[in-house]
């Protein structure tokens, strides 16, 4: 007997599920790339984002828990000491625009396929990932001193994501 993929229970196609599973890591990358703030800060941001993704496995939302579980299986479990490979988009602004477009697509998909509680939980989780990433390391300043916790460009990405997701 062949076991059905988890996404079929939610009514998603393989392509739709790929969008939902890929988006949290893309949000992490776009939020981190919103401000060029050095290797150490990028590593801290990546760790915070992966931790937020991983925490989704404990969500009361079955959808968020399933997406987070699959994503952690694919990219690594921070509880096991695994770290995400650092992804540095060549054009951070274009990458952010692409992520925002995919977030809008996911919002439309969720509205058509799941109830508002599940859709809202997923959207809120994405914003929480961005929030954790942009708040993980100071930006600006000299030698880590005098910078702001969230730069204007990081805040702009997080706010635009929240707006696109209606969260």
């Amino acid at each position: 007997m062949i076991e059905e993929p988890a996404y079929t229970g939610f009514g998603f196609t393989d392509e739709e599920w790929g969008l939902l599973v890929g988006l949290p890591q893309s949000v992490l990358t776009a939020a981190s790339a919103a401000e060029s703030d050095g290797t150490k800060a990028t590593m801290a941001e990546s760790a915070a984002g992966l931790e937020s993704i991983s925490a989704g496995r404990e969500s009361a939302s079955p959808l968020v828990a399933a997406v987070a579980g699959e994503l952690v299986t694919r990219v690594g479990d921070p509880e096991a000491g695994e770290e995400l490979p650092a992804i540095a988009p060549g054009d951070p602004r274009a990458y952010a625009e692409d992520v925002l477009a995919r977030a809008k697509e996911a919002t439309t998909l969720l509205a058509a396929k799941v109830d508002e509680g599940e859709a809202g939980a997923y959207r809120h989780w994405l914003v929480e990932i961005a929030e954790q990433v942009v708040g993980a390391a100071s930006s600006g300043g000299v030698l880590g001193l005098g910078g702001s916790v969230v730069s204007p460009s990081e805040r702009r990405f997080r706010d635009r994501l929240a707006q696109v997701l209606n969260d």
Side-chain angles (χ1 to χ4, degrees), residues 63-136:
L63 175 63
V64 171
V67 170
E70 182 156 333
L71 188 51
V72 167
T73 298
R74 290 181 185 185
V75 301
D77 187 347
E79 293 176 11
E82 297 170 331
E83 295 179 9
L84 276 176
I87 300 170
D91 183 347
R93 192 168 281 147
Y95 187 82
E97 291 302 323
D98 176 65
V99 170
L100 293 169
R102 286 187 281 143
K104 183 148 187 70
E105 183 182 343
T107 297
T108 302
L109 171 66
L110 292 168
K113 296 272 187 161
V114 298
D115 68 46
E116 179 51 38
E118 288 295 324
Y122 180 85
R123 293 188 319 259
H124 181 74
W125 179 52
L126 292 180
V127 174
E128 181 63 28
I129 292 167
E131 183 71 33
Q132 293 301 313
V133 170
V134 301

Side-chain angles (χ1 to χ4, degrees), residues 35-38 40-42 44-45 133-141 144-151 154:
E35 182 72 36
S36 178
D37 42 16
K40 187 175 180 180
T42 299
E45 291 168 346
V133 170
V134 301
S138 294
S139 298
L145 302 173
S148 61
V149 175
V150 180
S151 75
E154 290 170 328

Side-chain angles (χ1 to χ4, degrees), residues 51-68:
E51 191 61 43
S52 291
I53 289 169
S54 177
R57 295 180 294 179
E58 304 300 321
S59 175
S61 161
L63 175 63
V64 171
V67 170

Side-chain angles (χ1 to χ4, degrees), residues 4-12:
E4 290 286 319
Y7 60 81
T8 59
F10 294 103
F12 295 113

